[in-house]
Amino acid sequence: MSAMVVFVSVVASVVPLTAVLLVVWWLDRYEREPLWTLALAFAWGAFGATMFSALLEVILQVPVAFVLDAEHQQYFLAIVAAPPIEEFFKGLFIVGLLFLGRWLDNLTDGVIYGVAVGLGFAMAENFAYFLQSYASGGVSAWVTVIVFRTLFTSAMHAAATATLGACLGFGWQRAMRPAGMVLLALGGYSAAVVMHFIWNSLAVLSAMTEHLGFSLIGAMLIVGAIILYLIVLQVALHHEHKLLLRELEGEAAQGYFPAEHAAAVASSIRRRQDDWLDPRVDQHAYVAVAVRLAMARSRWRFSQGQTREELAWRINDLRKELAKLRYDVL
């Protein structure tokens, strides 16, 4: 295999999916996640989730080999084993964010992190498939696999894990109790597995029958899922805008926050202008703290017991932090 094939396979694996991730990050205009946490999510998908999934699938091959021949082993692993195993290890990163209690504030965050993990997983898997397709089918098969996996299989991985992320982000924003979070996690995980299962089943049927129609059906389903997610993301962002405005206006009504700043922070365009805040104040830090305050207030509304008390303390600390940013420059 030539160095050029390897180089092009690396570029085709990394560049398009990294570009998609940056676009999705850019779309989250009200509360963009730190790039380093997105990079960590992407890396977990590319290395952690793929390594553990591959290891478990290899272990599973041992008992399966006693029942099925080599060809049917491959089909069994793709349809029955891969979806639950891979979605489990991809989803571990998002569950970990919940236990850390940081960064995952709402449905939008869950979608963004799910997309990051899914794209990272797809990047590593794509590279392996690109090389395999060239070795077994030559240039034409190589190009076909690059195009199809980049456009559709990668989107499936991103959309499946984003489903789990959306469920967990929604539950966290609503301050659901542990039992409710577990139910949401199981529901999101099951939906991710079903999506993955359908895609892999259609791909296997296409390979077994040598009929592209099954793959085309899968491609259309993925396109539909992506359109649906774009709509969901826009609705979630609109809700986020209203949440920021409502909570910061509430802070202003209580005298903790300047009323004229509420509309500016809640607008992704207005907040970037420099005529609403004292130029000596660190605008980026000020907006970030104000957004965290609004999110904490929103979650406090749904919380109970100790969580509610902890959030009340956090809200008070964020108010002090905002005041310090404003008055330290005077």
Side-chain angles (χ1 to χ4, degrees):
M1 189 175 296
S2 69
M4 180 59 69
V5 170
V6 175
F7 174 75
V8 173
S9 295
V10 169
V11 171
S13 302
V14 175
V15 174
L17 303 192
T18 304
V20 170
L21 178 59
L22 290 174
V23 169
V24 172
W25 172 80
W26 175 80
L27 287 174
D28 186 16
R29 53 189 176 270
Y30 296 113
E31 190 204 8
R32 288 195 178 117
E33 303 307 303
L35 280 173
W36 72 268
T37 59
L38 279 189
L40 194 61
F42 190 82
W44 169 257
F47 303 107
T50 52
M51 180 182 69
F52 287 113
S53 296
L55 179 62
L56 190 53
E57 287 170 19
V58 167
I59 293 172
L60 192 59
Q61 277 184 315
V62 176
V64 172
F66 287 103
V67 182
L68 300 174
D69 58 37
E71 182 181 10
H72 287 91
Q73 284 178 47
Q74 180 181 358
Y75 294 153
F76 174 85
L77 290 172
I79 296 175
V80 178
I85 290 173
E86 292 175 5
E87 293 309 323
F88 174 80
F89 285 113
K90 286 194 289 177
L92 280 182
F93 183 90
I94 305 173
V95 174
L97 290 178
L98 288 180
F99 280 102
L100 290 175
R102 298 183 63 186
W103 301 298
L104 190 64
D105 293 322
N106 49 41
L107 184 150
T108 307
D109 291 348
V111 171
I112 301 298
Y113 282 114
V115 167
V117 174
L119 290 176
F121 190 97
M123 181 194 72
E125 194 178 67
N126 284 357
F127 178 67
Y129 274 94
F130 293 167
L131 297 184
Q132 182 184 24
S133 65
Y134 182 86
S136 61
V139 174
S140 61
W142 178 56
V143 172
T144 300
V145 169
I146 286 177
V147 172
F148 201 79
R149 288 194 65 88
T150 300
L151 292 178
F152 302 112
T153 307
S154 301
M156 179 277 295
H157 277 296
T161 315
T163 302
L164 173 59
C167 290
L168 293 177
F170 175 80
W172 181 259
Q173 182 182 7
R174 294 279 173 163
M176 286 190 173
R177 294 185 175 185
M181 290 299 295
V182 169
L183 287 175
L184 274 175
L186 290 175
Y189 171 71
S190 299
V193 170
V194 168
M195 188 181 300
H196 200 148
F197 168 82
I198 292 172
W199 173 260
N200 282 12
S201 298
L202 290 170
V204 166
L205 283 171
S206 186
M208 291 177 65
T209 62
E210 297 184 353
H211 197 293
L212 287 176
F214 293 108
S215 293
L216 292 176
I217 292 172
M220 287 188 289
L221 290 175
I222 293 300
V223 170
I226 295 303
I227 293 172
L228 177 62
Y229 258 107
L230 288 173
I231 294 171
V232 168
L233 192 57
Q234 289 306 310
V235 171
L237 288 170
H238 177 67
H239 173 76
E240 200 169 323
H241 162 72
K242 293 200 299 183
L243 181 153
L244 291 175
L245 189 60
R246 180 187 69 237
E247 300 300 342
L248 293 178
E249 285 180 344
E251 284 290 293
Q254 293 179 268
Y256 294 115
F257 193 73
E260 64 272 17
H261 290 184
V265 173
S267 168
S268 60
I269 297 174
R270 182 81 176 91
R271 65 167 61 166
R272 292 196 295 268
Q273 298 172 356
D274 56 9
D275 59 347
W276 63 275
L277 187 65
D278 190 313
R280 295 170 295 176
V281 177
D282 184 338
Q283 188 175 31
H284 178 77
Y286 187 79
V287 169
V289 176
V291 169
R292 291 203 299 271
L293 173 60
M295 293 297 176
R297 274 181 56 105
S298 176
R299 190 162 183 261
W300 176 83
R301 293 177 182 277
F302 299 101
S303 62
Q304 298 178 11
Q306 185 178 353
T307 301
R308 190 177 180 87
E309 293 178 9
E310 291 173 353
L311 283 168
W313 282 104
R314 175 165 172 75
I315 289 168
N316 191 51
D317 289 341
L318 290 168
R319 286 168 176 167
K320 292 177 181 178
E321 191 173 347
L322 275 176
K324 188 174 187 298
L325 284 169
R326 285 199 307 271
Y327 297 128
D328 272 6
V329 302
L330 300 179

